[in-house]
Amino acid sequence: MKKRFLALAAVCMITMMTACSPSARVEQAERSFYAMDTIMSVSACGENAEQAVGQVTRRITELESLWSVTDEKSEIYALNRSGSGEVSSDTAELVSFALDISDRSGGALDPTIYPVLTAWGFTTGTNRVPSADELSELLKVVDYRAVETDGRTIYLKEGMMLDLGAVAKGAASDEAARILRKNCIGSALINLGGNIMTVGGKEDGSGWRIGVKDPLGEGNVGVLTLKDLAAVTSGCYERYFTAEDGTVYGHIIDPESGYPVDNELLSSTIISPSGRLCDALSTAVFVMGAERAEKLWRSWSAESFDMLLITKSGEVIVTEGAEERFELTDKELTLRVIEK
Ligand code: ADP
Ligand code: MG
């Protein structure tokens, strides 16, 4: 029995080795496309890179058609309209994940924030400032704890709406990396509208150099060097509007108040092997602010993550693991390292 198992294991090893053996036919493939409301690009190097990148674009398009909150044919759209229903395992899994992070972030992430987001006009493009009464009325249907799941069936409370906008691109980047690795791609850079995922390092073996955007200007404040890691930044410099009185309102909402986040942070970047974790936490941490985020980071034991926060007072707060990979180029900012 043991012998048979060993023989089988040996066959598997050989198959695995030959499946991803180095080949003379190394291709470089690059593709840009539009999905999930943003420009995406995938660049990969390896055998059959062209075909693998094609698979990635098809898979992301498929995920978008499940998760889009505005596409009348999507699963999320159908769920929001009927209030309950069975969804695919891809959707059920991402909903459970989002609810788990909502819980672990004390509600800073809340995938039921959509009605409030709509009131601010971030979903329609015609922005407005809702009244305090309107917001408190809408907040009655914002509560991730009221979403019930039973296997692949999801139940929403009356008037509630789910929006996976804060985690979808991260989850898509995980799928992209999985597909590329399955196709023996050892070096790839995936950029889903600023959600970065890296497979291996660059062809020469060095890490991918990823610029961290200056939230107040055009350039970068520094560079992260990454291998087999994702990095996702949330901030209000990408999507915001200026009201008549000059107040700037961003598209990330504090579920506690119903108002766009207004704390000491300009941006929050999360680094970890999981794209969806980076995406979920970059949004959550931006809502939580530096102090609560630091506590979250210290208390996190299971899957760990690193973070880089840029504050309005010109500080860049980095966890140890982020510091190792970060080079600050904007000399007007000061670096503060936090340790566990
Ligand atoms: P982006 O998608 O712009 O890269 P994020 O990943 O931070 O940025 O997600 C922001 C999106 O998430 C918003 O456009 C909105 O759809 C949704 N959202 C806003 N605030 C929250 C929140 N507190 N919890 C969950 N989703 C949110
Ligand atoms: Mg996010």
Side-chain angles (χ1 to χ4, degrees):
M1 190 58 191
K2 199 172 168 197
K3 256 191 188 157
R4 269 205 6 224
F5 174 74
L6 284 176
L8 189 68
V11 170
C12 287
M13 283 286 287
I14 290 162
T15 327
M16 270 167 65
M17 276 159 62
T18 49
C20 281
S21 64
S23 130
R25 254 184 343 108
V26 170
E27 296 174 358
Q28 174 73 43
E30 248 182 280
R31 196 170 300 184
S32 289
F33 53 102
Y34 193 85
M36 298 186 175
D37 252 342
T38 193
I39 296 167
M40 303 190 159
S41 69
V42 181
S43 152
C45 183
E47 200 184 335
N48 296 325
E50 195 62 54
Q51 188 225 335
V53 169
Q55 270 183 42
V56 168
T57 58
R58 284 193 296 280
R59 178 66 173 143
I60 292 180
T61 311
E62 180 187 23
L63 294 176
E64 178 183 29
S65 72
L66 295 177
W67 299 337
S68 165
V69 72
T70 48
D71 176 356
E72 294 179 14
K73 293 191 291 292
S74 87
E75 286 191 338
I76 292 296
Y77 190 93
L79 184 65
N80 285 339
R81 212 173 49 174
S82 64
S84 70
E86 197 179 323
V87 294
S88 61
S89 55
D90 284 326
T91 304
E93 243 229 85
L94 190 58
V95 170
S96 297
F97 172 77
L99 295 175
D100 181 43
I101 302 296
S102 300
D103 195 37
R104 294 170 82 173
S105 66
L109 184 78
D110 194 322
T112 66
I113 197 71
Y114 196 71
V116 174
L117 202 74
T118 305
W120 286 94
F122 285 112
T123 54
T124 54
T126 351
N127 290 112
R128 58 187 271 272
V129 181
S131 73
D133 283 350
E134 186 182 349
L135 287 175
S136 65
E137 199 54 39
L138 290 171
L139 282 174
K140 288 179 185 162
V141 291
V142 174
D143 186 2
Y144 68 93
R145 287 164 298 194
V147 179
E148 283 178 41
T149 58
D150 177 11
R152 293 202 274 116
T153 308
I154 298 171
Y155 304 91
L156 305 178
K157 223 171 80 173
E158 170 110 44
M160 210 173 225
M161 292 182 93
L162 264 189
D163 167 26
L164 298 173
V167 292
K169 280 179 281 172
S173 77
D174 288 332
E175 272 299 274
R178 186 188 62 78
I179 290 167
L180 294 178
R181 288 198 176 97
K182 208 179 83 192
N183 280 278
C184 304
I185 302 293
S187 168
L189 179 65
I190 299 153
N191 181 350
L192 310 186
N195 277 239
I196 302 293
M197 171 61 88
T198 60
V199 173
K202 289 197 281 196
E203 258 190 289
D204 64 8
S206 64
W208 292 102
R209 288 171 60 79
I210 309 297
V212 177
K213 278 210 182 101
D214 178 354
L216 299 176
E218 284 296 302
N220 294 328
V221 302
V223 181
L224 280 168
T225 304
L226 306 177
K227 266 188 197 178
D228 286 314
L229 286 170
V232 177
T233 301
S234 285
C236 276
Y237 53 91
E238 314 136 333
R239 275 213 282 153
Y240 61 88
F241 74 98
T242 309
E244 275 169 21
D245 66 358
T247 314
V248 176
Y249 294 105
H251 73 304
I252 300 177
I253 309 280
D254 183 349
E256 192 92 42
S257 64
Y259 282 84
V261 170
D262 181 20
N263 57 27
E264 73 289 357
L265 295 184
L266 289 173
S267 74
S268 62
T269 301
I270 306 291
I271 304 147
S272 94
S274 159
R276 66 181 192 175
L277 184 68
C278 286
D279 202 357
L281 286 181
S282 70
T283 308
V285 158
F286 191 71
V287 173
M288 293 167 95
E291 225 179 282
R292 275 175 75 199
E294 196 175 324
K295 280 205 189 101
L296 180 80
W297 179 71
R298 285 183 199 291
S299 71
W300 204 272
S301 52
E303 298 153 277
S304 90
F305 65 93
D306 278 291
M307 61 184 186
L308 183 155
L309 312 175
I310 305 179
T311 71
K312 288 176 183 163
S313 62
E315 227 182 1
V316 182
I317 305 170
V318 282
T319 58
E320 299 152 292
E323 192 218 1
E324 281 169 26
R325 301 180 169 87
F326 183 62
E327 182 197 332
L328 181 70
T329 51
D330 185 336
K331 298 301 175 204
E332 277 170 26
L333 301 176
T334 54
L335 202 63
R336 177 158 73 85
V337 184
I338 54 172
E339 292 164 1
K340 265 213 173 122

